[in-house]
């Protein structure tokens, strides 16, 4: 998979009010910005053009751009977040994607779907139903993907897990990094699955971007496993995004 572009958005001061399942303290903006810089620099190192959008103070979670759209070779689909406070982020992303895609679609509703629940493996699109993504949202996406010729497989994000991709990542077209919990559902039959070492489940949200794999710092056994498997691993400080249940995939749209 070769990506020529990525789109990200700077966190603003309002990020301290971002959504979180459990309050473990507020993120530190300065440290978050430094980590965001490192993330963007790593994407750029691979030769991709990275568009960095301005912070949206009215939307504390707007840095998690992945949830606003699904980017595929045929076009992009603007999502319809299940979190009320995030709905308005979509309209702010739309003009950027309109400049990058000829075919731009919208999930019109009433259903909901967020990009964090969608894993495109190249051969199919896996979508996890979750507290944010419902059957009607998935059905609307399916109708669009039918037109584009992409099979969609609907699965279930485990209870208590924010998004499907909170618990898995695509490392290459054949290989998925997954928690044992998610993989136990059998959803990755037909792929090679690498399991997160016990106690390092929080490293499941990684991304393969061109020649590198970005993963959160602080999970040494996962990093070692991926290096042993031949991946060029880059560690990013995810301390502050983790307080808001966010990770590597959430911080960019990749196309
Ligand atoms: C939220 O709850 O919506 C944000 N605090 C975190 C979103 C993370 N996004 C993602 O996993 N794609």
């Amino acid at each position: 998979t070769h990506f020529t572009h990525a789109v990200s958005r700077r966190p603003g001061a309002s990020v301290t009010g971002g959504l979180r399942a459990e309050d473990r303290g507020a993120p530190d903006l300065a440290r978050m910005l430094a980590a965001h810089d490192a993330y963007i620099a790593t994407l750029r190192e691979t030769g991709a053009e990275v568009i960095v959008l301005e912070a949206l103070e009215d939307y504390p979670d707007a840095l998690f751009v992945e949830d606003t759209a699904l980017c595929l070779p045929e076009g992009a689909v603007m999502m319809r977040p299940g979190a009320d406070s995030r709905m308005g982020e979509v309209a702010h992303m739309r003009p950027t994607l309109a400049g990058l895609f000829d075919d731009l679609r919208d999930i019109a509703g009433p259903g909901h779907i967020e990009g964090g629940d969608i894993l495109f493996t190249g051969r199919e699109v896996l979508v996890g139903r979750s507290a944010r993504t419902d059957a009607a949202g998935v059905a609307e996406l399916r109708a669009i993907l039918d037109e584009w010729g992409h099979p969609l497989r609907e699965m279930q994000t485990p209870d208590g897990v924010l998004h499907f991709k909170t618990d898995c990542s695509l490392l290459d077209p054949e290989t998925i990094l997954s928690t044992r919990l998610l993989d136990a559902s059998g959803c990755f039959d037909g792929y090679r699955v690498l399991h997160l070492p016990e106690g390092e489940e929080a490293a499941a949200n990684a991304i393969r971007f061109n020649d590198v794999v970005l993963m959160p710092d602080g999970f040494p056994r996962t990093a070692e496993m991926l290096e042993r498997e031949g991946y060029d691993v880059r560690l990013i400080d995810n301390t502050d995004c983790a307080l808001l249940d966010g990770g590597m995939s959430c911080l960019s749209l990749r196309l």
Side-chain angles (χ1 to χ4, degrees), residues 122-138:
R123 68 172 100 140
E124 61 181 342
V125 175
L126 306 177
V127 185
R129 293 252 298 266
S130 70
R132 302 285 182 86
T133 293
D134 58 25
V138 178

Side-chain angles (χ1 to χ4, degrees), residues 6-12 33 36 40 44 50-56 62-63 65 68 89-97 100 251 253:
V7 181
S8 66
R9 186 182 292 285
R10 300 296 276 167
L33 283 167
H36 202 254
I40 289 163
R44 283 188 173 142
V50 183
I51 298 170
V52 182
L53 303 172
E54 288 302 310
L56 292 177
L63 73 159
V65 289
T68 64
E89 295 174 25
V90 177
H92 285 278
M93 180 56 71
R94 204 176 192 288
T96 301
L97 295 188
L100 293 166
L251 294 175
L253 288 166

Side-chain angles (χ1 to χ4, degrees), residues 18-21 60-61 64-67 83 85-86 89 114-117 132 162-163 165-166 205 241 243-247 249-251:
L19 298 173
R20 64 206 83 173
D61 288 297
F64 302 118
V65 289
E66 169 175 69
D67 295 317
S85 68
R86 302 200 59 190
E89 295 174 25
E114 297 190 355
D117 280 316
R132 302 285 182 86
L162 173 61
H163 284 129
K165 276 188 293 187
T166 305
N205 184 274
C241 286
L243 293 171
L244 302 178
D245 310 322
S249 76
C250 325
L251 294 175

Side-chain angles (χ1 to χ4, degrees), residues 79-236:
M79 300 279 109
R80 197 164 180 278
D84 284 345
S85 68
R86 302 200 59 190
M87 192 75 95
E89 295 174 25
V90 177
H92 285 278
M93 180 56 71
R94 204 176 192 288
T96 301
L97 295 188
L100 293 166
F101 287 94
D102 292 331
D103 198 349
L104 187 58
R105 310 291 182 96
D106 296 275
I107 300 294
H112 296 95
I113 182 164
E114 297 190 355
D117 280 316
I118 307 176
L119 184 73
F120 175 50
T121 69
R123 68 172 100 140
E124 61 181 342
V125 175
L126 306 177
V127 185
R129 293 252 298 266
S130 70
R132 302 285 182 86
T133 293
D134 58 25
V138 178
E140 246 195 272
L141 179 64
R142 189 190 293 279
I144 297 166
L145 297 189
D146 279 350
E147 265 186 68
W148 290 346
H150 288 293
L152 182 157
R153 206 146 53 91
E154 186 171 333
M155 11 239 343
Q156 187 62 48
T157 300
D159 273 350
V161 175
L162 173 61
H163 284 129
F164 186 65
K165 276 188 293 187
T166 305
D167 268 23
C168 67
S169 315
L170 186 75
L171 295 174
D172 60 51
E174 304 301 322
T175 312
I176 288 171
L177 174 68
S178 174
T179 61
R180 282 178 194 279
L181 174 71
L182 180 58
D183 184 40
S185 63
C187 58
F188 300 131
D189 288 357
Y191 292 91
R192 182 170 83 108
V193 181
L194 300 179
H195 289 141
L196 275 305
E198 210 180 321
E200 294 201 357
E201 288 77 5
N205 184 274
I207 52 167
R208 172 70 185 267
F209 190 75
N210 295 332
D211 293 338
V212 302
V213 171
L214 287 80
M215 63 162 277
D217 196 5
F219 301 93
R221 285 176 295 141
T222 306
E224 193 186 304
M225 172 178 78
L226 296 185
E227 271 159 10
R228 200 168 50 232
E229 292 289 339
Y231 298 103
D232 183 357
V233 175
R234 305 303 169 89
L235 302 177
I236 303 288

